[in-house]
Amino acid sequence: MIFYFTGTGNSLYVAQELEENPLSIPQIMKKGEPMRFEADRIGIVTPVYGHEVPAMVKDFLHQAHFQTEYFYMILTYGNRHGGAAELASQLCEEWALLPVIST
């Protein structure tokens, strides 16, 4: 199971390379329903905005409940991640979710 947030389409492209039908974080958040997800592997693909994970992705991580043995994040960025991988890793640690892969 892969969730994505994208502004320009780059993160969607990456998510679709990994899974045929990734799930849009904005569309899930818009529904306003309880968010519980269970899968062997759960991933988040998101761009880096201002050297960190976008606010909506942070909100999603705060509100969603994940049941998985393997959780990962893939960060997309153009030239520099500016420490975003470390910040994303801290987010994952807050919810006992790891590892973070920076691309």
Side-chain angles (χ1 to χ4, degrees):
M1 177 178 292
I2 295 180
F3 299 91
Y4 72 92
F5 177 88
T6 194
T8 62
N10 293 336
S11 293
L12 172 59
Y13 174 82
V14 171
Q16 288 175 328
E17 288 294 306
L18 299 171
E19 186 168 292
E20 188 173 337
N21 295 307
L23 303 167
S24 168
I25 291 172
Q27 289 178 4
I28 292 168
M29 296 286 287
K30 188 176 181 179
K31 290 180 183 179
E33 300 171 356
M35 296 181 288
R36 294 193 171 281
F37 305 101
E38 185 174 345
D40 292 337
R41 292 174 296 169
I42 295 177
I44 306 279
V45 180
T46 183
V48 172
Y49 283 0
H51 303 294
E52 63 181 299
V53 175
M56 182 176 280
V57 175
K58 289 180 188 178
D59 291 343
F60 178 69
L61 289 171
H62 277 86
Q63 296 174 26
H65 299 280
F66 303 103
Q67 176 94 24
T68 186
E69 290 187 28
Y70 188 77
F71 186 93
Y72 62 96
M73 290 181 75
I74 298 175
L75 306 177
T76 61
Y77 56 91
N79 195 3
R80 296 178 24 217
H81 65 76
E86 291 78 11
L87 293 172
S89 183
Q90 290 172 356
L91 278 173
C92 290
E93 287 174 10
E94 287 177 21
W95 299 287
L97 308 169
L98 281 174
V100 175
I101 300 168
S102 179
T103 60

